[in-house]
Amino acid sequence: MDCPVILIADIDRGGVFAHLVGTLALLSESEQARVVGFVINRFRGDLALLQPGLDWLEQHTGKPVLGVLPYLHGLHLEAEDALPVALFAHQPSPQPSPACGITSDLADVVDQPSRMASCFIRGGGKLRVIVPVLPHISNHTDFDPLRLHPQIEFSFVALGEAIPAADLIILPGSKAVRGDLDSLRKAGWEAPIRHHLRYGGKLIGICGGLQMLGRSIHDPLGLEGEAGSSIGLGLLELSTTLQAEKQLRNVRGTLMLEGAPVSGYEIHAGVSAGHALQHPAVQLEHGADGTISSDGQIFATYLHGLFESSAATDALLRWAGLREATTLDYRARREADLERLADAVEQYLDTAQLRELFTLEEMSCAN
């Protein structure tokens, strides 16, 4: 593919000129010829102080600097498929209120059952939500609305780290469900999950997480690795078989919790069956989806984007123990941040030169 390329470098990380010059030097001559210019991203400070460096960069490489984008504080953009390390590295684990008189490690908390069930919400005021970082975690942007929620203390927890006490554990989607289930077990999560439920905690499984909660997972075609079957966590009366044809669809419907409207999408190869599905979690336009356990502590669904619907999120947070849940409009926030970025691009980049380089026609917006 012969198309023009712009190299964009994050100056906030440091070494921006070495990054750009070094990258260019490592490319072949034909690849270098495709590079039509540079953009410096996330700049803080006085542009006049940076200008000598920009002049040197253009002289040294013969490529133009097409603009310098400022650091946009508080900007939220959904990440690519890989989970950014910054989202779970060096983050503080959820801490209980000192009034609880217990430690933050779930292994310690489960030995004090009389205090576990209600300590965290009542003591700290925020709902404590944790999600294990599976080796093949998928659709992690499902949790962006929770990470941004002012009433939630959210943590991605790397496998191998101490498992913090929480009000709600969510098992996420996975690109390799059987392998990730094995990793979850080896990291010691199975017993703490059972203790969490025994003493009043809530549990959500989304897509691959739903499949892990069942009795078994079968992959007869070897779609996600070696063909075979795995024993699930056994918390729901259902089994899943991976099939060659993946289900892909946008959906909308109603949560069985409070009748809250919800919309999202499905993307999964697994087909689940079993008695648990007689008590669905969601009623979608094309039929029932997922399950709510008979004791009301487990909510499982194939629906991604579950928390993007404010009413559905409020219902789920109240179910998890947050009595006065008030969720902001995540979709409006996402759109506003995209508009904010677009405004910065228009203001700080040479859009006329960009249109010329990419042979784009003049564009205008009627706002």
Side-chain angles (χ1 to χ4, degrees):
M1 180 181 293
D2 187 10
C3 60
V5 173
I6 297 174
L7 293 183
I8 303 175
D10 181 0
I11 195 171
D12 197 55
R13 295 174 181 267
V16 69
F17 296 112
H19 179 179
L20 290 170
V21 173
T23 300
L24 194 66
L26 291 172
L27 300 177
S28 66
E29 288 187 7
S30 62
E31 291 169 334
Q32 289 179 10
R34 294 195 187 105
V35 176
V36 296
F38 308 113
V39 170
I40 308 294
N41 193 23
R42 304 216 304 168
F43 176 69
R44 315 178 194 227
D46 185 353
L47 186 58
L49 299 178
L50 184 65
Q51 191 60 50
L54 302 180
D55 295 340
W56 173 86
L57 181 63
E58 291 184 333
Q59 294 168 6
H60 184 79
T61 64
K63 311 282 187 182
V65 175
L66 301 171
V68 177
L69 286 170
Y71 191 105
L72 299 178
H73 292 274
L75 183 73
H76 169 70
L77 296 176
E78 293 184 340
E80 296 293 336
D81 200 33
L83 182 66
V85 174
L87 290 186
F88 62 93
H90 310 300
Q91 63 182 347
S93 296
Q95 298 294 319
S97 165
C100 298
I102 58 178
T103 67
S104 61
D105 194 307
L106 186 55
D108 295 331
V109 173
V110 296
D111 292 329
Q112 304 172 68
S114 63
R115 296 176 179 176
M116 171 147 179
S118 61
C119 168
F120 292 92
I121 292 287
R122 295 175 184 173
K126 288 189 176 183
L127 191 77
R128 317 300 170 111
V129 181
I130 61 173
V131 175
V133 181
L134 304 173
H136 305 92
I137 188 172
S138 68
N139 306 89
H140 65 82
T141 54
D142 280 346
F143 310 113
D144 282 1
L146 300 184
R147 292 197 303 110
L148 297 172
H149 201 296
Q151 294 174 287
I152 292 176
E153 187 168 324
F154 182 93
S155 294
F156 281 115
V157 182
L159 299 187
E161 290 187 355
I163 305 170
D167 302 292
L168 173 62
I169 297 175
I170 306 178
L171 298 186
S174 166
K175 303 183 193 75
V177 181
R178 292 174 59 215
D180 279 352
L181 175 58
D182 184 55
S183 296
L184 194 73
R185 279 198 167 104
K186 289 179 179 177
W189 276 73
E190 185 168 10
I193 287 173
R194 292 182 183 278
H195 282 297
H196 172 76
L197 291 170
R198 185 178 303 167
Y199 298 120
K202 297 297 177 65
L203 177 63
I204 293 177
I206 299 176
C207 198
L210 173 152
Q211 297 169 3
M212 293 180 190
L213 293 172
R215 293 292 182 186
S216 56
I217 303 168
H218 309 289
D219 185 5
L221 302 177
L223 299 175
E224 295 184 349
E226 186 177 350
S229 298
S230 297
I231 298 173
L233 296 175
L235 297 172
L236 295 173
E237 290 290 342
L238 60 85
S239 293
T240 299
T241 300
L242 304 186
Q243 298 184 351
E245 185 174 351
K246 182 171 287 190
Q247 299 186 51
L248 302 165
R249 54 192 169 197
N250 291 316
V251 296
R252 62 178 62 249
T254 305
L255 285 189
M256 302 312 288
L257 298 172
E258 302 183 12
V262 68
S263 61
Y265 63 96
E266 294 182 35
I267 176 169
H268 56 95
V271 175
S272 299
H275 177 75
L277 301 180
Q278 295 180 15
H279 307 283
V282 188
Q283 186 62 47
L284 299 172
E285 292 173 336
H286 67 270
D289 169 76
T291 181
I292 299 176
S293 62
S294 58
D295 62 7
Q297 288 184 256
I298 304 174
F299 181 100
T301 178
Y302 274 109
L303 184 61
H304 291 290
L306 179 66
F307 300 108
E308 292 188 19
S309 304
S310 298
T313 300
D314 283 347
L316 286 164
L317 296 183
R318 282 191 285 268
W319 165 78
L322 189 62
R323 294 180 181 177
E324 302 296 329
T326 304
T327 299
L328 301 177
D329 189 334
Y330 173 75
R331 290 169 178 154
R333 163 70 188 274
R334 178 174 56 194
E335 186 66 22
D337 280 345
L338 288 172
E339 289 291 343
R340 184 182 171 202
L341 178 61
D343 289 343
V345 168
E346 185 175 26
Q347 180 177 354
Y348 293 101
L349 298 192
D350 187 342
T351 53
Q353 190 172 7
L354 286 173
R355 283 192 291 268
E356 182 180 346
L357 290 170
F358 288 89
T359 62
L360 298 175
E361 296 180 359
E362 185 74 25
M363 294 176 290
S364 62
C365 296
N367 292 328

